[in-house]
Amino acid sequence: MTLEIVTLAQRPDLAPLLDADFDGAWPPFMLWDPMGALYYGVAHDLYPEFVFAAVDPAEPGRAVARGYAAPLRWTEDELPDGGWDRVIQRATLGRLTGSTPNLVSALEICVRPDRRGGGVSGLMLDAMRAAVARAGFDTLVAPVRPNGKAAAPDVPMTEYAARRRPDGLPADPWLRVHVRAGGVIERVAPRSMTVTGTLADWRRWTGLPFDTSGPVRVPGALTPVLVDVDHDHAAYVEPNVWVRHRL
């Protein structure tokens, strides 16, 4: 596979490609996490050295994959329960207050749906690790969204993340990519991302009826969505798994 993986600092002309050809890459409800706009609205302009594009010379004008990360200051002993949301919040506050970042957190590595299964995600992770090291940081962390967990929404994340293959590597494919690259699984982030909405919102996002209170299993969700019909409200709280890469 011949791919060119670059940052927007190196190739700002590739920025438009990162918003195209990725329809269906994520479950629609995930696009409504309120913290996301704090980062994605400014990432191309403020963090170009941590925004990545993979292009294939055989497919000019299209991106094969994209990656996003953010520098932040985190000095607490443990990485946060709040995972993805907390990282974006801390990076935003740090930018506004002028604090000096001491690590970088990955926020997304997304491979175009028709190019999945070919090892692109590992190449993107390698490129992100290298870019973070070039920028002078010795640590990349990632609130990893285990891509096999959606098939086991009722299994607690702590139990799922501990599953291993006979060779000792994680059973989950995306966690396995991180560990093979040198990452160390540290802990679960039990509330990494939170998406809430009215029942009409959830019907639009999922096509499901959302007419009964209680847990609802939604395709692509890592845990059930909790529904309260009387209050016209449903909430999804997604756990992720913290992985630390020493560079």
Side-chain angles (χ1 to χ4, degrees):
M1 184 188 325
T2 302
L3 291 180
E4 180 187 9
I5 302 177
V6 295
T7 69
L8 289 192
Q10 297 166 319
R11 290 284 307 277
D13 59 298
L14 296 180
L17 303 186
L18 302 185
D19 294 323
D21 291 327
F22 289 91
D23 289 346
W26 298 108
F29 65 86
M30 290 190 63
L31 305 180
W32 293 91
D33 176 284
M35 280 291 177
L38 290 177
Y39 171 76
Y40 287 101
V42 300
H44 291 188
D45 294 326
L46 297 182
Y47 306 118
E49 69 274 31
F50 299 119
V51 179
F52 303 83
V55 292
D56 185 338
E59 291 188 289
R62 302 183 73 189
V64 172
R66 65 190 184 194
Y68 290 89
L72 66 145
R73 184 163 190 82
W74 191 269
T75 57
E76 289 86 337
D77 291 338
E78 288 191 335
L79 292 167
D81 286 348
W84 198 83
D85 283 352
R86 189 73 174 98
V87 163
I88 291 175
Q89 181 189 55
R90 180 64 67 91
T92 302
L93 290 173
R95 188 180 75 247
L96 294 174
T97 60
S99 67
T100 301
N102 64 337
L103 55 77
V104 175
S105 177
L107 290 171
E108 178 185 0
I109 290 178
C110 182
V111 180
R112 208 174 70 209
D114 64 306
R115 292 295 296 263
R116 291 177 178 174
V120 176
S121 61
L123 297 176
M124 290 292 288
L125 179 58
D126 289 344
M128 186 176 287
R129 284 168 49 100
V132 170
R134 285 197 306 271
F137 294 93
D138 64 7
T139 302
L140 171 70
V141 298
V144 176
R145 185 179 200 266
N147 56 8
K149 179 66 170 66
D154 298 317
V155 176
M157 182 62 89
T158 50
E159 176 183 333
Y160 179 83
R163 292 179 175 178
R164 293 293 183 272
R165 304 192 316 180
D167 62 4
L169 290 170
D172 181 82
W174 191 209
L175 286 175
R176 193 160 59 246
V177 170
H178 278 268
V179 171
R180 278 178 169 159
V184 175
I185 295 174
E186 290 201 348
R187 66 191 300 260
V188 168
R191 48 180 178 82
S192 192
M193 174 184 287
T194 301
V195 179
T196 63
T198 66
L199 301 187
D201 289 332
W202 281 98
R203 291 175 188 130
R204 184 174 68 254
W205 298 336
T206 67
L208 298 176
F210 277 86
D211 55 3
T212 303
S213 292
V216 172
R217 289 155 189 80
V218 171
L222 306 192
T223 61
V225 177
L226 301 179
V227 180
D228 187 330
V229 170
D230 291 340
H231 291 87
D232 189 28
H233 185 262
Y236 173 66
V237 181
E238 178 172 292
N240 288 167
V241 179
W242 275 116
V243 177
R244 186 186 298 266
H245 294 259
R246 296 289 189 185
L247 307 175

